[in-house]
Amino acid sequence: MTLEQLRDESLRLYVCKSIDDTSDLLSFFADYLLLTIKNLEIATVQSVSDNEARRLINQMILTKVLHIKQLICGVSYQSIQGITLPILIDPTVVAALIRNVYETVGLFNLVYISPKTEDEKTIVYNLWVIAGLKYRQTFDFIANSKESIDKIKNEETQILNLIKEIEDTLLYKSLTEPNTKKIKRKIKDKDYKIAFNYNNIQLLSWQDLTNVMGIKNGSLDKIYTYFSLYSHPSNVSVFQFGSLYKDNDFLGMTNFNLQNLLILLSVFIADYIRLFPKVLSIYEGLPLINQIALNTHNRGFRGEEYSINDSYKILG
């Protein structure tokens, strides 16, 4: 590939004017994620929490990419009466899946990237685990076997142990009472979205995670609300649905949704390499166009300091 061809292809995969262009870039993401999964031993880890990040969250992102890639091929149907439905895509279904990607990428950054100390990581990670276990405890009424009842009891003990781990950290012990109350509130609310500003705790919502991820200039500040609006049968989403299939408007809305997905995936790959630096060797073994394309949205929306490497500089 000549330099001019590389520039043209890089621009095409950055702008992604069409769903076909976006699908091509999603293939780049899928190929890279699959390579990292196949070569998991490169990024060996000791802790259970880091192993979850290394293995499970990476696999979850891959499956979401593959499902979305399949979904945007569209669906059609012919009934037994011979009624034919032309190929179409439901942008609200795409939005729901991308919202889940937002939550997964945001979770990864919040739990594994943003903490500046081991104590911060312990507190946020434990809050995350506690939230999941406490939500599962709400289904204790359906436990009807000894195994299920024992599991509930074991999880109750696990929750208490996780809370104790939080309270035993030097960071927790150094917090003011208003800040420890914030942590207790998150435990009660079955939530974990907090950030540390020195020894002050900021309570976060899903919308706030774009700032936590380092996405600049308010580029995605409202995107979670947008995806939530179209993931639910809100008045707006229901009535807009009526006009989506006139003049193929569903194609434009789908591709807009996908543009935001590309940013999130690019951010995730950069964060994953940051957490597991040895994986950089896999990334740098990719063709140059793949390296540039996978990094371009991350670099464009977070800045040069977040760039995975400097392969893009060949473009001039």
Side-chain angles (χ1 to χ4, degrees), residues 176-204:
T176 62
E177 184 178 354
N179 282 298
T180 59
K181 283 183 176 179
K182 290 177 182 178
I183 290 179
K184 291 175 181 177
R185 174 182 162 187
K186 284 293 184 180
I187 292 172
K188 181 180 178 181
D189 293 345
K190 299 184 282 292
D191 196 5
Y192 55 88
K193 296 185 290 298
I194 63 171
F196 292 89
N197 183 12
Y198 298 99
N199 277 21
N200 289 316
I201 292 177
Q202 178 186 1
L203 302 179
L204 303 173

Side-chain angles (χ1 to χ4, degrees), residues 31-260:
D31 289 349
Y32 170 74
L33 289 166
L34 195 54
L35 271 177
T36 61
I37 291 167
K38 184 180 179 182
N39 295 281
L40 273 179
E41 69 280 357
I42 287 179
T44 55
V45 295
Q46 300 300 321
S47 70
V48 172
S49 62
D50 280 1
N51 188 52
E52 290 169 351
R54 176 183 70 110
R55 184 168 57 90
L56 299 179
I57 295 180
N58 202 30
Q59 292 173 4
M60 288 175 68
I61 293 293
L62 173 63
T63 60
K64 296 176 199 308
V65 169
L66 294 177
H67 277 87
I68 292 171
K69 186 171 167 57
Q70 183 66 35
L71 184 62
I72 61 176
C73 291
V75 296
S76 61
Y77 186 72
Q78 184 170 17
S79 72
I80 58 173
Q81 294 85 8
I83 303 170
T84 300
L85 185 71
I87 293 177
L88 56 85
I89 304 168
D90 186 340
T92 65
V93 177
V94 176
L97 283 174
I98 297 175
R99 187 181 74 156
N100 187 269
V101 173
Y102 175 101
E103 293 171 346
T104 308
V105 175
L107 155 76
F108 184 84
N109 188 285
L110 183 70
V111 174
Y112 296 100
I113 303 299
S114 295
K116 296 179 286 295
T117 67
E118 284 302 313
D119 277 0
E120 287 186 9
K121 183 175 179 181
T122 295
I123 292 172
V124 179
Y125 176 81
N126 282 21
L127 286 175
W128 175 45
V129 179
I130 290 167
L133 292 175
K134 283 175 74 72
Y135 267 114
R136 192 154 64 186
Q137 290 282 308
T138 61
F139 296 101
D140 59 357
F141 66 92
I142 63 174
N144 52 18
S145 67
K146 183 180 183 302
E147 181 181 356
S148 299
I149 294 170
D150 288 345
K151 184 175 183 179
I152 290 170
K153 290 179 179 178
N154 289 336
E155 288 183 352
E156 288 174 349
T157 301
Q158 187 179 352
I159 289 169
L160 293 175
N161 290 337
L162 289 165
I163 293 173
K164 187 175 186 303
E165 282 183 19
I166 290 174
E167 294 174 345
D168 284 346
T169 62
L170 292 176
L171 175 56
Y172 183 89
K173 292 176 180 178
S174 71
L175 295 175
T176 62
E177 184 178 354
N179 282 298
T180 59
K181 283 183 176 179
K182 290 177 182 178
I183 290 179
K184 291 175 181 177
R185 174 182 162 187
K186 284 293 184 180
I187 292 172
K188 181 180 178 181
D189 293 345
K190 299 184 282 292
D191 196 5
Y192 55 88
K193 296 185 290 298
I194 63 171
F196 292 89
N197 183 12
Y198 298 99
N199 277 21
N200 289 316
I201 292 177
Q202 178 186 1
L203 302 179
L204 303 173
S205 65
W206 283 113
Q207 290 87 340
D208 296 322
L209 294 191
T210 56
N211 292 324
V212 175
M213 287 186 277
I215 296 174
K216 297 181 176 178
N217 302 320
S219 305
L220 295 185
D221 282 359
K222 302 295 183 184
I223 203 63
Y224 185 75
T225 302
Y226 165 82
F227 282 131
S228 297
L229 182 68
Y230 285 99
S231 297
H232 299 296
S234 65
N235 177 275
V236 172
S237 66
V238 169
F239 283 94
Q240 186 170 358
F241 193 87
S243 62
L244 277 177
Y245 298 99
K246 297 175 182 177
D247 302 319
N248 289 335
D249 286 350
F250 71 94
L251 294 174
M253 185 174 176
T254 298
N255 209 38
F256 172 78
N257 293 346
L258 293 171
Q259 295 287 335
N260 292 284

